[in-house]
Amino acid sequence: MHDRDRIVQLAFGSMAAQTLRAAVRLRIFELLGDERRDAAAIAAAAGTAPQPTARLLRALAALGLLREEPPGTFSATTTGARLSPTHPDSLTSFVRVFTDSAVIRAWEHLDAAVRTGDIAFDAVFGTDFFSHLARDPELSADFNAAMSQASQATAAALPHAYDFGAFTSVTDVGGGDGTLLAAVLTAHPRLTGAVLDTPDGLARTPETLERHGLTERCEPAPGDFFRSVPKGADLFLIKSVLHDWSDEKAATILRHCREVLPADGRVLIVEPVLPDAVAPDSGSGSGSGPGPYLSDLNMLVNLGGRERTRADFEDLCRAAGLSVTSVTELAEAAPFSLIEAVAAR
């Protein structure tokens, strides 16, 4: 790709994202299912104007989400099929959340956030991100579902990537609907567990536990990890939580885990670990590509958190009375890594 074309592609990135959003909101992929349909039939089913619908469908085909064959007739690609809510690995809620104005508007002030270090979201909306979520039940439900969808690859890989058999009980700190812990407990039937989160975060946890037959082995634990973490586990699992928060707040969460950690216990952090320098081919889309760095900027503008290097995690754990013992890439769920920590001696 020529330099000019690459820059144009990047500048059009927000348009591509809103094309996905429109397709999800209009239920295009849900209406298509496994069928091949012409544009007029899709427009009739969606209740949309025929010619604009055809234009949207062709844009989705150009993005690799639909296939146009023969001309004017469309079917979903394997990638596009994941934009149907009925797909077992659906990403519809993920797309809804990360193309919503609640996420996007603060990005318009990225330059100001870089100048000042202040959280742009708070200035735009007059409150912090999670307080805003609490005031919007529909967005909150989508956010919880999006976090579940984002954990699918990790949930598939994690149970076999760590020696969970060495423990008796796992508490998933900030574990949302329990998707990740359910996968671990299903693969390790001797384990028991608990999911710590806010009442809103736990709204769908009982449903997840019941679906996996885990209601006798795992329980929701309503609470606030900034105040305390419940006792009783010898392994504390923390996925995609610390990057939401400043170093001070992230260390507070870890410190509360340390306070109830038994002598032979472990804290297992599951997050991307940034390399010390950006790989020269990151912009080409190889490996995890620019994703972790864009996530880092999202934390800057919307939450006040950050993505971290190994040295950053070691500093964070040290401040909480923990010591990092290993960092292992979770290859099947890139860009995530497993960071194991024990009580500092």
Side-chain angles (χ1 to χ4, degrees), residues 1-10:
M1 183 181 292
H2 296 300
D3 294 344
R4 178 188 178 281
D5 295 337
R6 176 62 174 155
I7 291 172
V8 170
Q9 181 188 58
L10 291 171

Side-chain angles (χ1 to χ4, degrees), residues 224-289:
D224 179 354
F225 48 49
F226 288 123
R227 293 182 177 275
S228 65
V229 170
K231 298 178 180 179
D234 51 358
L235 179 64
F236 292 89
L237 177 62
I238 313 175
K239 179 192 177 291
S240 299
V241 169
L242 300 182
H243 72 168
D244 289 343
W245 306 103
S246 66
D247 287 349
E248 180 182 3
K249 290 185 175 180
T252 296
I253 299 169
L254 290 173
R255 190 175 302 112
H256 288 150
C257 293
R258 169 66 184 88
E259 289 170 355
V260 294
L261 190 68
D264 57 350
R266 298 288 188 275
V267 175
L268 187 64
I269 302 165
V270 185
E271 294 213 358
V273 177
L274 299 179
D276 292 333
V278 178
D281 57 353
S282 286
S284 68
S286 63
S288 56

Side-chain angles (χ1 to χ4, degrees), residues 7 61 86 93 104 136 148 153 159 188 206 218 225 254 301 303 308 337 343:
I7 291 172
T86 61
S93 292
I104 297 303
D136 187 335
S148 175
H188 298 275
C218 187
F225 48 49
L254 290 173
V301 298
L303 294 165
R308 296 176 171 91
S337 290

Side-chain angles (χ1 to χ4, degrees), residues 100-125:
D100 191 273
S101 62
V103 171
I104 297 303
R105 279 181 59 192
W107 272 87
E108 297 173 3
H109 304 273
L110 173 60
D111 54 339
V114 171
R115 288 192 191 99
T116 66
D118 294 336
I119 306 170
F121 186 97
D122 296 17
V124 171
F125 289 91

